[in-house]
Amino acid sequence: MEVAPAKAKPQGRLLVSTQLDAKDELEEKLERCIGAVHSLINGLSEREANDALTANVCKGQQQHEEVCLGLFALLLTEPAQAQRCYRDLTLVNRDGMNVVLLKINQILMEKFLKLQDVPRKQLVWLVRELVKSGVMAADGVVMTLLKQIAGGDVSTKNLWLAESVLDILLEQKEWVLKSGMLIAMSVYTFLRLIVDHGAPNLLTLRQKEVDFCIGMLREKFLECVIIGRDLVRLLQNVARIPEMDLLWRDLLHNPQVLSPQFTGILQLLTARTSRKFLACRLTPDMETKLLFMTSRVRFGQQKRYQDWFQRQYLSMAESQSLRCDLIRYICGVVHPSNEVLSSDILPRWAIIGWLLTTCTSNVAASNAKLALFYDWLFFNPDKDSIMNIEPAILVMHHSMKPHPAITATLLDFMCRIIPHFFPPLEVQVRQGVFNSLTFIMEKRVLAHLAPLFDNPKLDRELRSMLRERFPEFCSAPSPPMEVKMEEMTSMEMEQMMDKEEGCYDNTEAAFSDDDEEVNNKGKRREFRFHPIREAVVEEPADITPWLDQLEDTMKEKVVQLQKSSDTETQCEVMQDIVDLILEEDFDTEQMSALASCLAEIFKEHFRGDVLPDDITDESLEESVCKAVCLVFRNLVTMQEDNSGFSVLLDMLAELYQKQPKIGYHLLYYLKASKAANGKMMLYESFAQATALGDLHTCLMMDMKACQEDDVRLLCYLTPSIYSEFPDQTLRSGELLNMIVAVIDSTQLQELMCHVMMGNLVMFRKDSVLNILIQSLDWETFEQYSTWQLFLAHSIPLETIIPILQHLKYKEHPEALSCLLLQLRREKPSEEMVKMVLSRPCHSEDQFTTSLLRHWASKHDDTLAEHIKAQLIKNNNQPRKRQSLRSSSSKLAQLTLEQILEHLDHLRLSLNNTKNSCQYARTHALASADRRPVLMASVAVCSVFSQTPILQALQHVQASCDEGHKMRFSDLFALAEEYEDSQAKPLKSRRKAAATSPRSRKGVAPPSNNEEESASSSASEEEDSKPKAPKRKRKCSSAVASDSD
């Protein structure tokens, strides 16, 4: 076979390049391989050339790869010789085409867009030949080729590629049916492409795609079920095509026709779509660009990257459908690490918000919103990921300030999709959305949803619909989120918007998982932005719309209050306003307008710090001498039966709706002001007057707002809140979690001091166990802080000892370490020993073994008695009843097998210290300063010489089955040695009694020396290896009498 050398060209024959581009390494390598093949076959006949190639590939792996890649490159660049090159390639390769397949995949993933027209066509031809030949792993190459078919692209090249791949699948249908994953991937791809091919000139291609998808779905439906819920989404988009309509009706109403194992559409909708399907609808280049933006681009610097992406992929009218693929990919595939989430990298919600703003048709916008919410509809917290639903809620949250229309349309869509998605499954869809919102709050993506659902920027009809659909989440305004939006967007957002007006990417710089950063002083908002607030002079708030609703006298006072600058004048004017409120009969509309005016005027006051840096009586009194506190002062001085009292409460309630921070400011006033001494319960009246109407909810919302703004103030208020509202604070861990989530070590120590001085009680016996169990899901420092606060109280440890049944050694190391340190200081009680032994026995869990060893060194006799009691008690229980109890209970039940396992672990642990015990016994008097350590070692080593434990082991051995005897033979051997040691003294005593009855009268109690010798002999028996078990039946009476 003679191959003419290629003529020199300004660029290679494989990839498109310019004079400025560096030579591609892959192209250079393939050209070298072509040269190697040329050197082998030039001037030879076909047979001689084949022999030369075969001989060369047999020399080694390098030569084999060189020849295979040379033929592969010739095949791509020389269409006329492609058939011959492929034949030679099949003859000389020795690895099942593995080298060639790897290189094809590399080109498809990295170089496909740069391929010249001829190599691109030849590459598809080669894939066709590989499929025809049934080459192993060719299905993987076909799936990679499917990925190169771009959605939303009707260019000639893309249409040719789609049709070429479809022809391969249709021609080699029998081969396709052998690969379940290829079936599912190809159906998913062409179902998606059908939407793009609706133009009259593309109807022939679309019909081929429809026929292929219907054929695969009807013949291999179970293989397609693995796609999950996105299969339903794609079928919905094409259901109006007549052939697809028939399939759609069968799917809804006659699922058994598709497969006997298929139960219905709900089976698909509850299955999450795998990442590989969502990723297959983005080309490698699109995927690389998106991953770059979500992992490398800083938030605020993304505009040029988004503009490039839009010019490249989203500029055509047909590309509207691509937005759905991008949104589904971002939600389902791009799951950033915690490190990225907490950095200033461009968040996912910002990209999705930008994509939503680029939709130019209503159909595309609706489909994009459905793609965003699709995982919400049948969300199951046990199966689905929070990362799939997080972008939607964050898009709505962060768009409320700069783009309220986006938030409104998404909330409207979320409400309307519930009854209209599929009416027969309305209940399931409602539950899925409810599960999503609940899980979002549990994972703290957003602390509260009320500010989002009941925001004044939303129109009244939408807010009413949200309250109707989601009453559980609209019950109250949410101070934390209002605070966040108010404080983090006013000046920062204005500065950002000035740079790039009208671009979605200039929204509030907050990140998913809504973690709040707190500095050393407990203040927020100094991590993301650093505006110099003192240098910025804000214009007076525009309160004109509300002033027009007030009467002239009140209007004049409000304007005067707004213009006043010094505190004293403001207080005087504010007192006049309060007097007018008490004198006049304000209706609801006037009250609301006045509250709006006051909220705007005092906005700056609510932004500042409340608690003075140096806390003294004078500084505290000065801090509450502000105009906004005049309402509080008047309330404090009034009697509750005074008619003006309820009017002022209504005024505060209206102000609370406009400015939620007023709640914790009232708490601070009642705590700090001398005039309010003993009037803390006034807050309860305020809570009942608010729209919440519930003290617990109002208190938790206000403390959460305080936590967001000022941790120092939170710690300052904590003692009073716990002492004045014990029923609201001590029954659950909600407030405790707020506190330990943000305090530092200094503040923790201060709270512990308050507890020990009696100023603060954070736990009580009837609820402490429940709170500690709740804390097991908290962060590490939060848990350690909780345990430190608990230990500062004088609550008996036995109160919370049942928590041991909830602790797993890998999941709860914080609680276990704290309990271990506390239990080692306690003298073991029967309940403690029972709970410790109730823990599941695991070789890596050293909790029970370490604690038993410690107790054995300090309280060996007490521990022995308690272990004996548990052994006897559990041994006497019927085996069948015991197993039924343990299987039906959620918590671990103490069983005989558990006790024996723990004792056996203890025995093995003590074996490791046997040498040190012998040394201690031999050299106990060698050194006075080492004697305590050595004696402790002796005590630990002699734990199994305790009579109660050995008697109990005898009792258990006498009644347990052979399986347990074999399993715990070494443990029972200790009891048998004890039995042997008791048998001989018993015989000698009986003999002595028969010969000399008087001798018993002169017998004295055993001396210390005798006890020591007995202990020594027992220890020596323990140290020796146990021999084969020898049962002595006549000594069993001793065991029987002991149990009696």
Side-chain angles (χ1 to χ4, degrees), residues 804-970:
L804 275 174
Q805 295 180 294
H806 298 265
L807 303 182
K808 299 178 181 178
Y809 74 99
K810 284 188 177 180
E811 298 177 18
H812 308 120
E814 301 90 349
L816 282 171
S817 59
C818 292
L819 267 175
L820 185 64
L821 293 176
Q822 285 307 116
L823 285 171
R824 71 188 294 272
R825 301 175 182 173
E826 300 283 330
K827 183 178 181 179
S829 65
E830 183 175 353
E831 183 66 17
M832 287 182 185
V833 173
K834 177 183 176 182
M835 288 298 171
V836 169
L837 292 174
S838 296
R839 291 186 55 72
C841 204
H842 194 282
S843 58
E844 297 180 18
D845 184 4
Q846 299 294 325
F847 181 90
T848 300
T849 303
S850 62
L851 190 56
L852 290 178
R853 284 194 61 166
H854 179 79
W855 278 342
S857 68
K858 302 290 185 182
H859 313 283
D860 54 346
D861 52 347
T862 306
L863 177 64
E865 289 293 343
H866 292 325
I867 292 177
K868 173 186 176 182
Q870 295 303 322
L871 280 169
I872 300 298
K873 179 180 178 182
N874 285 273
N875 187 53
N876 290 336
Q877 286 185 358
R879 297 286 186 269
K880 187 178 294 186
R881 179 185 164 198
Q882 188 179 5
S883 63
L884 287 173
R885 263 183 53 187
S886 61
S887 63
S888 63
S889 175
K890 292 183 179 179
L891 299 178
Q893 295 289 340
L894 182 59
T895 63
L896 176 63
E897 186 173 356
Q898 265 183 312
I899 302 174
L900 294 175
E901 283 182 338
H902 284 305
L903 291 179
D904 203 38
H905 278 195
L906 179 60
R907 179 189 63 79
L908 292 173
S909 174
L910 293 175
N911 282 344
N912 296 332
T913 60
K914 187 173 293 185
N915 293 332
S916 64
C917 291
Q918 291 175 348
Y919 178 84
R921 197 180 302 117
T922 305
H923 303 281
L925 300 178
S927 176
D929 56 343
R930 297 180 60 189
R931 185 176 299 177
V933 177
L934 299 177
M935 294 308 294
S937 300
V938 173
V940 172
C941 290
S942 63
V943 63
F944 283 106
S945 65
Q946 292 289 325
T947 301
I949 291 182
L950 297 173
Q951 289 176 339
L953 287 174
Q954 280 184 303
H955 183 82
V956 172
Q957 186 183 25
S959 58
C960 69
D961 55 31
E962 290 299 324
H964 283 81
K965 289 179 182 178
M966 290 293 294
R967 183 176 175 185
F968 303 107
S969 58
D970 292 338

Side-chain angles (χ1 to χ4, degrees), residues 624-644:
V624 294
C625 292
K626 304 290 178 64
V628 73
C629 299
L630 260 296
V631 182
F632 306 154
R633 186 185 302 172
N634 281 270
L635 273 174
V636 167
T637 57
M638 286 184 179
Q639 299 293 328
E640 292 194 14
D641 54 359
N642 191 322
S643 59

Side-chain angles (χ1 to χ4, degrees), residues 61 181 467 474-475 560 575 775 830 896 912 930 1000:
Q61 179 63 31
M181 181 53 67
R467 282 192 291 270
C474 296
S475 59
Q560 186 179 351
Q575 184 60 54
S775 73
E830 183 175 353
L896 176 63
N912 296 332
R930 297 180 60 189
R1000 286 189 298 176

